Amino acid sequence: MDRLPQNWIAVASAQHARRGCAPSFGPGYMQVCHGKAAPLKRVRAGDRLAYYAPTLTMGGKDRLQCFVSIGLVLQGEPYSFDMGGGFVPFRKDVEYVAAREASILPLVPHFEFVESPQRWGYKFRFGLFAISDHDMRLIAQAMQADMGLLHLDSAPL
């Protein structure tokens, strides 16, 4: 039996997330948790993905707190990719849709995954976590992404 698409938030610096949705050829890609394969195995083709960037640069103090890209995960298993310098992370391909970057701050009070508004950033420490259709719709609307391309116009509430 086919499962319904899931929704995921991945966390990376804006610099890294933007690199994944603007490749010079082919589809975009996702990398999570410093290139580990295991988290990517939870993500399946047809799942929705939004990238949240707490900062502009990895490890930087340059706070951003925005969603920077959104799309659909494509078919295929995680694969390794040699980025040079001995770094060979795992990736999955993603078809990103046109969207505007959007601040998370106005959305925090409306998210179902936020258990405590004072500690809303807690789940982001995991690098990749599942969210509800409701929360993915909020993100997509804030990013002015096409709901039809994300298959959110027919997703159950």
Side-chain angles (χ1 to χ4, degrees):
M1 180 173 124
D2 290 333
R3 70 174 180 82
L4 291 174
Q6 289 188 287
N7 303 292
W8 301 92
I9 291 179
V11 182
S13 70
Q15 182 181 45
H16 287 175
R18 289 170 183 156
R19 188 179 303 153
C21 65
S24 55
F25 62 91
Y29 61 86
M30 65 181 291
Q31 290 176 194
V32 296
C33 305
H34 306 287
K36 292 184 175 76
L40 292 176
K41 291 179 181 178
R42 297 173 23 216
V43 180
R44 304 265 195 255
D47 286 356
R48 299 172 199 97
L49 169 74
Y51 255 102
Y52 170 72
T55 60
L56 286 168
T57 58
M58 187 172 90
K61 302 278 186 226
D62 45 7
R63 185 177 291 178
L64 183 64
Q65 297 181 312
C66 283
F67 289 100
V68 296
S69 57
I70 190 167
L72 293 173
V73 177
L74 297 174
Q75 288 285 352
E77 294 299 315
Y79 60 91
S80 59
F81 183 84
D82 188 344
M83 293 187 72
F87 184 48
V88 185
F90 283 86
R91 295 179 170 180
K92 279 195 90 143
D93 290 337
V94 176
E95 185 68 41
Y96 288 99
V97 301
R100 300 180 74 160
E101 294 186 6
S103 172
I104 193 174
L105 299 178
L107 304 176
V108 169
H110 307 285
F111 281 139
E112 292 176 345
F113 75 83
V114 172
E115 296 167 15
S116 167
Q118 294 77 23
R119 298 184 338 172
W120 63 265
Y122 177 75
K123 285 198 175 183
F124 293 89
R125 296 175 22 180
F126 298 105
L128 178 72
F129 62 96
I131 61 170
S132 67
D133 285 346
H134 170 270
D135 288 353
M136 186 57 79
R137 275 192 189 92
L138 288 176
I139 295 167
Q141 288 170 349
M143 296 182 78
Q144 300 176 17
D146 186 313
M147 297 296 213
L149 291 176
L150 293 168
H151 307 288
L152 279 168
D153 51 355
S154 60
L157 292 175

